[in-house]
């Protein structure tokens, strides 16, 4: 029994050592930038050795790292797949007494899940030296393949008409809905947007923005929430506290 457990732990640690890590991609705005090459046979770093020795490291939270430049957050399909799974469940098992409601709800969840899935394929959250930015991959065909490069989003912010790039020193607050362990939406507030351009929350004036101290932003959690949290903290983005009611 002890030998079987030891073998399982060793195998788990070895597999964990081969998980690909997030790394910066060549950004379109800097054509001369050269991506750091991954050399075969390179010596293991201290973090690599810890991953091999401790197969349970990720289960209890990875060690915090410093601020990273041109860091591309890994994509996360959890929200998209969950929405599509709900859509399939509604259309196949008909939980209500109305087939019309089941099919309508199923169609909506399948459509919305597909939309979020497309955004997950094409949009990346990037931490630059001084700014947080949402970029678009340059791949001609979106999918699960490795990103070939990144470029600024073709369309400006659909609410404000401004660029999708914000300075770290303009952050007022940030958080995850409902929580970082089960993220559905990513929230942050900034003061970079001019006061005369700032808009209130979607529920109505002052209903979601009682503090009135900046512009609120929401986007689906199509990026790894743990990595977002790590880099928000590492880059010194201000945080008031949990986002509940008066604490927006």
């Amino acid at each position: 029994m002890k030998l079987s457990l030891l073998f399982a732990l060793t195998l788990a640690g070895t597999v964990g050592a081969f998980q690909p890590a997030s790394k910066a991609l060549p950004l379109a705005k800097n054509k001369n930038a050269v991506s750091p090459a991954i050399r075969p046979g390179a010596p293991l770093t201290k973090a690599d050795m810890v991953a091999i020795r401790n197969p349970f490291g990720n289960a209890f939270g990875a060690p915090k790292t410093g601020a990273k430049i041109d860091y591309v957050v890994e994509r996360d399909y959890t929200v998209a797949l969950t929405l599509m799974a709900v859509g399939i469940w509604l259309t196949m098992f008909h939980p209500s007494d109305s087939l019309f409601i089941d099919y309508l709800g199923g169609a909506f969840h399948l459509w919305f899940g597909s939309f979020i899935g497309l955004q997950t394929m094409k949009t990346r959250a990037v931490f630059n030296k001084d700014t947080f930015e949402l970029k678009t991959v340059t791949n001609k065909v979106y999918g699960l393949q490795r990103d070939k490069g990144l470029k600024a989003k073709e369309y400006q912010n659909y609410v404000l008409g401004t660029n999708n790039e914000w300075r770290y020193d303009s952050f007022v607050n940030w958080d995850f809905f409902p929580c970082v362990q089960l993220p559905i939406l990513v929230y942050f507030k900034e003061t970079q947007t001019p006061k005369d351009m700032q808009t209130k929350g979607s529920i109505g004036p002052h209903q979601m923005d009682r503090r009135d101290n900046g512009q609120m932003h929401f986007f689906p959690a199509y990026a790894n929430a743990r990595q977002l949290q790590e880099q928000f903290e590492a880059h010194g983005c201000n945080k008031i506290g949990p986002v509940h009611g008066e604490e927006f």
Side-chain angles (χ1 to χ4, degrees), residues 71-140:
Y71 178 71
V72 182
V73 180
E74 294 177 356
R75 51 190 156 180
D76 188 343
Y77 287 92
T78 303
V79 175
L81 293 177
T82 301
L83 286 169
M84 296 180 72
V86 171
I88 294 173
W89 175 71
L90 289 172
T91 54
M92 291 186 63
F93 296 98
H94 312 298
S96 74
D97 296 329
S98 172
L99 289 179
F100 174 76
I101 293 177
D102 291 338
Y103 283 125
L104 182 63
F108 172 77
H109 280 81
L110 287 170
W111 169 81
F112 195 44
S114 300
F115 172 76
I116 299 299
L118 177 61
Q119 296 303 311
T120 306
M121 291 180 183
K122 64 186 295 188
T123 305
R124 298 290 177 270
V126 182
F127 287 87
N128 303 314
K129 180 179 180 180
D130 300 310
T131 60
F132 170 70
E133 186 174 8
L134 297 179
K135 286 181 171 287
T136 303
V137 298
T138 59
N139 300 26
K140 293 183 179 180

Coordinates of all heavy atoms in Angstrom, one line a residue, residues 71-140:
Y71 N 3.1 40.0 -20.0 CA 2.7 38.7 -19.6 C 1.3 38.5 -20.1 O 0.3 39.2 -19.8 CB 2.7 38.7 -18.0 CG 2.2 37.4 -17.4 CD1 3.0 36.2 -17.5 CD2 1.0 37.3 -16.8 CE1 2.5 35.0 -17.0 CE2 0.6 36.1 -16.2 CZ 1.3 35.0 -16.3 OH 0.9 33.8 -15.8
V72 N 1.1 37.4 -20.8 CA -0.2 37.0 -21.3 C -0.9 36.0 -20.4 O -0.4 34.9 -20.2 CB -0.1 36.4 -22.8 CG1 -1.4 36.1 -23.3 CG2 0.7 37.4 -23.6
V73 N -2.0 36.3 -19.9 CA -2.8 35.4 -19.0 C -3.4 34.2 -19.8 O -3.9 34.4 -20.9 CB -3.9 36.2 -18.3 CG1 -4.6 35.3 -17.3 CG2 -3.3 37.3 -17.5
E74 N -3.3 33.1 -19.2 CA -3.8 31.9 -19.9 C -5.4 32.0 -20.1 O -6.0 32.6 -19.2 CB -3.5 30.6 -19.1 CG -2.0 30.3 -19.0 CD -1.7 29.1 -18.2 OE1 -2.7 28.6 -17.6 OE2 -0.6 28.7 -18.1
R75 N -5.9 31.5 -21.1 CA -7.3 31.5 -21.4 C -8.0 30.4 -20.5 O -7.4 29.4 -20.1 CB -7.6 31.3 -22.8 CG -6.9 30.1 -23.5 CD -7.1 30.1 -25.0 NE -6.0 29.4 -25.6 CZ -5.9 29.2 -26.9 NH1 -6.8 29.8 -27.7 NH2 -4.9 28.5 -27.5
D76 N -9.3 30.7 -20.2 CA -10.1 29.8 -19.4 C -11.5 29.6 -20.0 O -12.2 30.5 -20.2 CB -10.2 30.3 -18.0 CG -10.8 29.4 -17.0 OD1 -11.4 28.4 -17.5 OD2 -10.7 29.6 -15.8
Y77 N -11.8 28.4 -20.4 CA -13.0 28.1 -21.1 C -14.2 27.6 -20.2 O -15.2 27.2 -20.6 CB -12.8 27.0 -22.2 CG -12.1 27.4 -23.4 CD1 -10.7 27.3 -23.4 CD2 -12.7 27.9 -24.5 CE1 -10.0 27.7 -24.6 CE2 -12.0 28.3 -25.6 CZ -10.6 28.2 -25.6 OH -9.9 28.6 -26.8
T78 N -13.9 27.8 -18.9 CA -14.9 27.2 -17.9 C -16.3 27.9 -18.1 O -17.3 27.2 -18.1 CB -14.4 27.5 -16.5 OG1 -13.1 26.8 -16.3 CG2 -15.4 26.9 -15.5
V79 N -16.3 29.2 -18.2 CA -17.6 29.9 -18.3 C -18.3 29.5 -19.6 O -19.5 29.2 -19.6 CB -17.4 31.4 -18.3 CG1 -18.7 32.1 -18.6 CG2 -16.9 31.9 -17.0
A80 N -17.6 29.4 -20.7 CA -18.2 29.1 -22.0 C -18.8 27.7 -22.0 O -19.9 27.4 -22.4 CB -17.2 29.3 -23.1
L81 N -18.0 26.7 -21.5 CA -18.4 25.3 -21.5 C -19.6 25.1 -20.5 O -20.4 24.3 -20.8 CB -17.2 24.4 -21.1 CG -16.1 24.4 -22.1 CD1 -14.9 23.5 -21.5 CD2 -16.5 23.8 -23.4
T82 N -19.6 25.8 -19.4 CA -20.7 25.7 -18.4 C -22.0 26.2 -19.1 O -23.0 25.5 -18.9 CB -20.4 26.5 -17.2 OG1 -19.2 26.0 -16.6 CG2 -21.5 26.3 -16.2
L83 N -21.9 27.3 -19.8 CA -23.2 27.8 -20.4 C -23.7 26.8 -21.5 O -24.9 26.6 -21.6 CB -22.9 29.2 -21.0 CG -22.7 30.4 -20.1 CD1 -22.2 31.6 -20.8 CD2 -24.0 30.7 -19.4
M84 N -22.8 26.3 -22.2 CA -23.2 25.4 -23.3 C -23.7 24.1 -22.7 O -24.7 23.5 -23.2 CB -22.0 25.1 -24.2 CG -21.5 26.3 -25.0 SD -20.1 26.0 -26.1 CE -20.9 25.0 -27.4
A85 N -23.1 23.6 -21.6 CA -23.6 22.4 -20.9 C -25.0 22.6 -20.4 O -25.9 21.8 -20.5 CB -22.7 22.0 -19.7
V86 N -25.3 23.8 -19.8 CA -26.7 24.1 -19.4 C -27.6 24.1 -20.5 O -28.8 23.6 -20.4 CB -26.7 25.5 -18.6 CG1 -28.1 25.9 -18.3 CG2 -25.9 25.4 -17.3
G87 N -27.2 24.7 -21.7 CA -28.1 24.7 -22.9 C -28.4 23.3 -23.3 O -29.6 23.0 -23.7
I88 N -27.4 22.4 -23.3 CA -27.7 21.0 -23.7 C -28.6 20.4 -22.8 O -29.5 19.6 -23.1 CB -26.3 20.3 -23.8 CG1 -25.5 20.9 -25.0 CG2 -26.6 18.8 -24.1 CD1 -24.1 20.3 -25.1
W89 N -28.4 20.6 -21.5 CA -29.3 20.0 -20.4 C -30.7 20.5 -20.6 O -31.7 19.7 -20.5 CB -28.7 20.4 -19.1 CG -29.6 19.9 -17.9 CD1 -29.8 18.6 -17.5 CD2 -30.4 20.8 -17.1 NE1 -30.7 18.6 -16.4 CE2 -31.1 19.9 -16.2 CE3 -30.7 22.1 -17.0 CZ2 -31.9 20.4 -15.2 CZ3 -31.5 22.6 -16.1 CH2 -32.2 21.7 -15.1
L90 N -30.9 21.8 -20.9 CA -32.3 22.3 -21.0 C -33.0 21.7 -22.2 O -34.2 21.3 -22.2 CB -32.3 23.8 -21.1 CG -31.9 24.6 -19.9 CD1 -31.7 26.1 -20.2 CD2 -33.0 24.4 -18.8
T91 N -32.3 21.5 -23.3 CA -32.9 21.0 -24.5 C -33.1 19.5 -24.5 O -34.0 19.0 -25.2 CB -32.1 21.4 -25.8 OG1 -30.7 20.9 -25.6 CG2 -32.0 22.9 -26.0
M92 N -32.3 18.8 -23.7 CA -32.4 17.3 -23.7 C -33.3 16.8 -22.6 O -34.0 15.8 -22.8 CB -31.0 16.7 -23.6 CG -30.1 16.9 -24.8 SD -28.6 16.0 -24.7 CE -29.2 14.3 -24.6
F93 N -33.4 17.4 -21.4 CA -34.1 16.9 -20.3 C -35.3 17.6 -19.9 O -36.1 17.1 -19.1 CB -33.1 16.8 -19.1 CG -31.9 15.9 -19.3 CD1 -30.7 16.4 -19.7 CD2 -32.1 14.5 -19.2 CE1 -29.6 15.5 -19.9 CE2 -31.0 13.6 -19.4 CZ -29.8 14.2 -19.8
H94 N -35.6 18.8 -20.5 CA -36.8 19.5 -20.3 C -37.3 19.6 -18.9 O -38.2 19.0 -18.4 CB -38.0 18.8 -21.1 CG -37.6 18.5 -22.6 ND1 -37.2 19.5 -23.5 CD2 -37.5 17.3 -23.2 CE1 -36.9 18.9 -24.6 NE2 -37.1 17.6 -24.5
P95 N -36.5 20.4 -18.1 CA -36.8 20.4 -16.6 C -38.1 21.2 -16.3 O -38.7 21.0 -15.2 CB -35.6 21.2 -16.0 CG -35.1 22.0 -17.2 CD -35.3 21.1 -18.4
S96 N -38.6 22.0 -17.2 CA -39.9 22.7 -16.9 C -41.1 22.0 -17.6 O -40.9 21.1 -18.3 CB -39.8 24.2 -17.4 OG -39.8 24.3 -18.8
D97 N -42.3 22.6 -17.4 CA -43.5 22.0 -18.0 C -43.7 22.5 -19.4 O -44.7 22.1 -20.1 CB -44.7 22.3 -17.1 CG -44.6 21.7 -15.7 OD1 -44.0 20.6 -15.7 OD2 -45.1 22.3 -14.8
S98 N -42.9 23.5 -19.9 CA -43.1 24.1 -21.2 C -41.9 23.8 -22.1 O -40.7 24.1 -21.8 CB -43.2 25.6 -21.0 OG -43.2 26.2 -22.3
L99 N -42.1 23.0 -23.2 CA -41.0 22.8 -24.1 C -40.5 24.1 -24.7 O -39.3 24.2 -25.0 CB -41.5 21.8 -25.2 CG -41.8 20.4 -24.8 CD1 -42.3 19.6 -26.0 CD2 -40.5 19.7 -24.3
F100 N -41.4 25.0 -24.9 CA -41.0 26.3 -25.5 C -40.0 27.0 -24.7 O -38.9 27.5 -25.2 CB -42.2 27.2 -25.7 CG -41.9 28.6 -26.2 CD1 -41.5 28.8 -27.5 CD2 -41.9 29.7 -25.3 CE1 -41.2 30.1 -28.0 CE2 -41.6 30.9 -25.8 CZ -41.2 31.1 -27.1
I101 N -40.2 27.0 -23.4 CA -39.3 27.7 -22.4 C -38.0 26.9 -22.4 O -36.9 27.5 -22.4 CB -39.9 27.8 -21.0 CG1 -41.1 28.7 -21.1 CG2 -38.9 28.2 -20.0 CD1 -41.8 28.9 -19.7
D102 N -38.0 25.6 -22.4 CA -36.8 24.8 -22.3 C -36.0 25.0 -23.6 O -34.8 25.2 -23.5 CB -37.2 23.3 -22.2 CG -37.7 23.0 -20.8 OD1 -37.5 23.7 -19.9 OD2 -38.5 22.0 -20.7
Y103 N -36.6 25.0 -24.8 CA -35.9 25.1 -26.0 C -35.3 26.6 -26.1 O -34.2 26.8 -26.6 CB -36.7 24.8 -27.2 CG -36.9 23.3 -27.4 CD1 -38.1 22.7 -27.5 CD2 -35.8 22.5 -27.5 CE1 -38.3 21.3 -27.7 CE2 -35.9 21.1 -27.7 CZ -37.1 20.5 -27.8 OH -37.3 19.2 -27.9
L104 N -36.2 27.5 -25.7 CA -35.7 28.9 -25.8 C -34.5 29.2 -24.8 O -33.5 29.8 -25.2 CB -36.9 29.9 -25.4 CG -36.6 31.4 -25.5 CD1 -36.2 31.8 -26.9 CD2 -37.7 32.2 -25.0
G105 N -34.6 28.7 -23.6 CA -33.5 28.8 -22.7 C -32.3 28.0 -23.1 O -31.2 28.5 -23.0
G106 N -32.5 26.8 -23.7 CA -31.4 26.1 -24.2 C -30.7 26.8 -25.3 O -29.4 26.8 -25.4
A107 N -31.5 27.3 -26.3 CA -30.9 28.0 -27.4 C -30.1 29.2 -27.0 O -29.0 29.5 -27.5 CB -32.0 28.4 -28.4
F108 N -30.6 30.0 -26.0 CA -29.9 31.2 -25.5 C -28.6 30.8 -24.8 O -27.6 31.4 -25.1 CB -30.8 31.9 -24.5 CG -30.1 33.0 -23.8 CD1 -29.8 34.2 -24.4 CD2 -29.6 32.9 -22.5 CE1 -29.1 35.3 -23.8 CE2 -28.9 33.9 -21.9 CZ -28.7 35.1 -22.5
H109 N -28.6 29.8 -24.0 CA -27.4 29.4 -23.3 C -26.4 28.8 -24.3 O -25.2 29.1 -24.2 CB -27.7 28.3 -22.3 CG -28.2 28.9 -21.0 ND1 -29.6 29.2 -20.8 CD2 -27.6 29.1 -19.8 CE1 -29.7 29.7 -19.6 NE2 -28.6 29.6 -19.0
L110 N -26.8 28.1 -25.3 CA -25.9 27.6 -26.3 C -25.3 28.8 -27.1 O -24.1 28.8 -27.4 CB -26.6 26.6 -27.3 CG -26.9 25.2 -26.7 CD1 -27.8 24.5 -27.6 CD2 -25.6 24.5 -26.4
W111 N -26.1 29.7 -27.5 CA -25.6 30.9 -28.3 C -24.6 31.7 -27.4 O -23.6 32.1 -27.9 CB -26.8 31.8 -28.7 CG -26.3 33.1 -29.2 CD1 -25.8 33.4 -30.5 CD2 -26.2 34.3 -28.5 NE1 -25.4 34.7 -30.6 CE2 -25.7 35.3 -29.4 CE3 -26.5 34.7 -27.2 CZ2 -25.5 36.6 -29.0 CZ3 -26.3 36.0 -26.8 CH2 -25.8 37.0 -27.7
F112 N -25.0 32.0 -26.2 CA -24.2 32.8 -25.3 C -22.9 32.1 -25.0 O -21.8 32.7 -24.9 CB -24.9 33.2 -24.0 CG -24.3 34.3 -23.3 CD1 -23.8 35.5 -23.9 CD2 -24.2 34.3 -21.9 CE1 -23.3 36.5 -23.2 CE2 -23.6 35.3 -21.2 CZ -23.1 36.4 -21.8
G113 N -23.0 30.8 -24.7 CA -21.8 30.0 -24.5 C -20.8 30.0 -25.7 O -19.6 30.1 -25.5
S114 N -21.4 29.9 -26.9 CA -20.6 30.0 -28.1 C -19.9 31.3 -28.2 O -18.7 31.4 -28.6 CB -21.4 29.7 -29.3 OG -22.0 28.4 -29.2
F115 N -20.7 32.4 -27.9 CA -20.1 33.8 -28.0 C -19.0 33.9 -27.0 O -17.9 34.5 -27.4 CB -21.2 34.8 -27.7 CG -20.7 36.2 -27.6 CD1 -20.4 36.9 -28.7 CD2 -20.6 36.8 -26.3 CE1 -19.9 38.2 -28.6 CE2 -20.1 38.1 -26.2 CZ -19.8 38.8 -27.4
I116 N -19.1 33.5 -25.8 CA -18.1 33.6 -24.8 C -16.9 32.7 -25.2 O -15.7 33.1 -25.0 CB -18.5 33.2 -23.4 CG1 -19.7 34.1 -22.9 CG2 -17.4 33.2 -22.4 CD1 -19.3 35.6 -22.8
G117 N -17.2 31.6 -25.8 CA -16.1 30.7 -26.3 C -15.3 31.4 -27.4 O -14.0 31.3 -27.4
L118 N -15.9 32.1 -28.3 CA -15.2 32.8 -29.3 C -14.3 33.9 -28.7 O -13.2 34.1 -29.2 CB -16.2 33.4 -30.3 CG -15.6 34.3 -31.4 CD1 -14.7 33.4 -32.3 CD2 -16.7 34.9 -32.3
Q119 N -14.9 34.6 -27.8 CA -14.1 35.7 -27.1 C -12.9 35.1 -26.4 O -11.8 35.7 -26.3 CB -15.0 36.5 -26.1 CG -16.1 37.2 -26.8 CD -15.6 38.2 -27.8 OE1 -14.7 39.0 -27.6 NE2 -16.2 38.2 -29.0
T120 N -13.1 33.9 -25.8 CA -12.0 33.2 -25.1 C -10.9 32.9 -26.1 O -9.7 32.9 -25.8 CB -12.5 32.0 -24.4 OG1 -13.6 32.3 -23.5 CG2 -11.4 31.3 -23.6
M121 N -11.3 32.5 -27.3 CA -10.3 32.1 -28.3 C -9.5 33.3 -28.9 O -8.3 33.2 -29.1 CB -11.0 31.4 -29.5 CG -11.6 30.1 -29.2 SD -12.4 29.4 -30.7 CE -13.0 27.8 -30.1
K122 N -10.1 34.4 -29.0 CA -9.5 35.6 -29.7 C -9.0 36.7 -28.8 O -8.1 37.5 -29.2 CB -10.5 36.2 -30.6 CG -11.7 36.8 -30.0 CD -12.8 37.3 -31.0 CE -12.3 38.4 -31.9 NZ -13.4 39.0 -32.7
T123 N -9.4 36.8 -27.5 CA -9.0 37.9 -26.6 C -8.1 37.4 -25.6 O -8.2 36.3 -25.0 CB -10.3 38.5 -26.0 OG1 -11.2 38.9 -27.0 CG2 -9.9 39.8 -25.2
R124 N -7.0 38.2 -25.3 CA -6.1 37.9 -24.3 C -5.9 39.1 -23.3 O -5.9 40.3 -23.7 CB -4.7 37.6 -24.9 CG -4.7 36.4 -25.8 CD -4.9 35.1 -25.0 NE -5.0 34.0 -25.9 CZ -6.1 33.5 -26.5 NH1 -7.2 34.1 -26.2 NH2 -6.1 32.5 -27.3
A125 N -5.8 38.8 -22.0 CA -5.5 39.8 -21.0 C -4.0 39.9 -20.9 O -3.3 38.9 -20.7 CB -6.1 39.4 -19.7
V126 N -3.4 41.1 -21.0 CA -2.0 41.3 -21.1 C -1.6 42.3 -20.0 O -2.2 43.4 -19.9 CB -1.5 41.8 -22.5 CG1 0.0 41.9 -22.5 CG2 -2.0 40.8 -23.6
F127 N -0.5 42.0 -19.3 CA 0.0 42.9 -18.3 C 1.3 43.5 -18.9 O 2.3 42.8 -19.0 CB 0.3 42.2 -17.0 CG -0.9 41.9 -16.2 CD1 -1.6 40.7 -16.4 CD2 -1.4 42.8 -15.3 CE1 -2.8 40.4 -15.7 CE2 -2.6 42.5 -14.6 CZ -3.3 41.3 -14.8
N128 N 1.3 44.8 -19.3 CA 2.4 45.4 -19.8 C 3.2 46.0 -18.7 O 2.9 45.8 -17.5 CB 2.0 46.5 -20.8 CG 1.2 46.0 -22.0 OD1 1.5 45.0 -22.6 ND2 0.1 46.6 -22.3
K129 N 4.2 46.8 -19.0 CA 5.1 47.4 -18.0 C 4.3 48.4 -17.1 O 4.4 48.3 -15.8 CB 6.2 48.2 -18.6 CG 7.1 48.9 -17.6 CD 8.3 49.6 -18.2 CE 9.2 50.2 -17.2 NZ 10.3 51.0 -17.8
D130 N 3.4 49.2 -17.7 CA 2.7 50.2 -16.9 C 1.2 50.1 -17.1 O 0.4 50.9 -16.4 CB 3.1 51.6 -17.3 CG 4.6 51.9 -17.1 OD1 5.1 51.6 -16.0 OD2 5.3 52.3 -18.0
T131 N 0.7 49.2 -17.9 CA -0.7 49.1 -18.2 C -1.2 47.7 -18.3 O -0.5 46.8 -18.6 CB -1.0 49.8 -19.6 OG1 -0.3 49.2 -20.6 CG2 -0.7 51.3 -19.5
F132 N -2.5 47.6 -18.0 CA -3.3 46.4 -18.2 C -4.1 46.5 -19.5 O -4.7 47.6 -19.7 CB -4.2 46.1 -17.1 CG -5.2 45.0 -17.3 CD1 -4.7 43.7 -17.4 CD2 -6.5 45.2 -17.5 CE1 -5.6 42.6 -17.6 CE2 -7.4 44.2 -17.7 CZ -7.0 42.9 -17.7
E133 N -4.1 45.5 -20.4 CA -4.6 45.7 -21.7 C -5.3 44.4 -22.2 O -4.9 43.3 -21.8 CB -3.6 46.1 -22.7 CG -4.1 46.4 -24.1 CD -3.0 46.9 -25.0 OE1 -1.8 46.8 -24.6 OE2 -3.3 47.4 -26.1
L134 N -6.4 44.6 -23.0 CA -7.1 43.5 -23.6 C -6.7 43.5 -25.1 O -6.9 44.5 -25.8 CB -8.6 43.6 -23.5 CG -9.1 43.5 -22.0 CD1 -10.6 43.6 -22.0 CD2 -8.7 42.2 -21.4
K135 N -6.1 42.4 -25.6 CA -5.6 42.4 -27.0 C -6.3 41.2 -27.7 O -6.9 40.4 -27.1 CB -4.1 42.2 -27.0 CG -3.3 43.4 -26.6 CD -1.8 43.1 -26.7 CE -1.0 44.4 -26.5 NZ -1.0 45.2 -27.7
T136 N -6.1 41.2 -29.0 CA -6.6 40.2 -29.9 C -5.5 39.4 -30.5 O -4.4 39.9 -30.9 CB -7.5 40.8 -31.0 OG1 -8.5 41.6 -30.4 CG2 -8.1 39.8 -31.9
V137 N -5.6 38.1 -30.6 CA -4.6 37.2 -31.3 C -4.6 37.5 -32.8 O -5.6 37.9 -33.4 CB -4.9 35.7 -31.0 CG1 -4.9 35.4 -29.5 CG2 -6.2 35.3 -31.6
T138 N -3.4 37.3 -33.4 CA -3.3 37.5 -34.8 C -3.5 36.3 -35.6 O -3.4 36.3 -36.9 CB -1.9 38.1 -35.1 OG1 -0.9 37.1 -34.6 CG2 -1.6 39.4 -34.4
N139 N -3.9 35.2 -35.0 CA -4.2 33.9 -35.8 C -5.3 34.2 -36.8 O -6.3 34.8 -36.5 CB -4.6 32.8 -34.8 CG -3.5 32.5 -33.8 OD1 -2.7 33.4 -33.4 ND2 -3.6 31.3 -33.3
K140 N -5.1 33.7 -38.0 CA -6.1 33.8 -39.0 C -7.3 32.9 -38.7 O -8.5 33.3 -39.1 CB -5.5 33.4 -40.4 CG -4.5 34.4 -40.9 CD -4.0 34.0 -42.3 CE -2.9 35.0 -42.8 NZ -2.4 34.6 -44.1

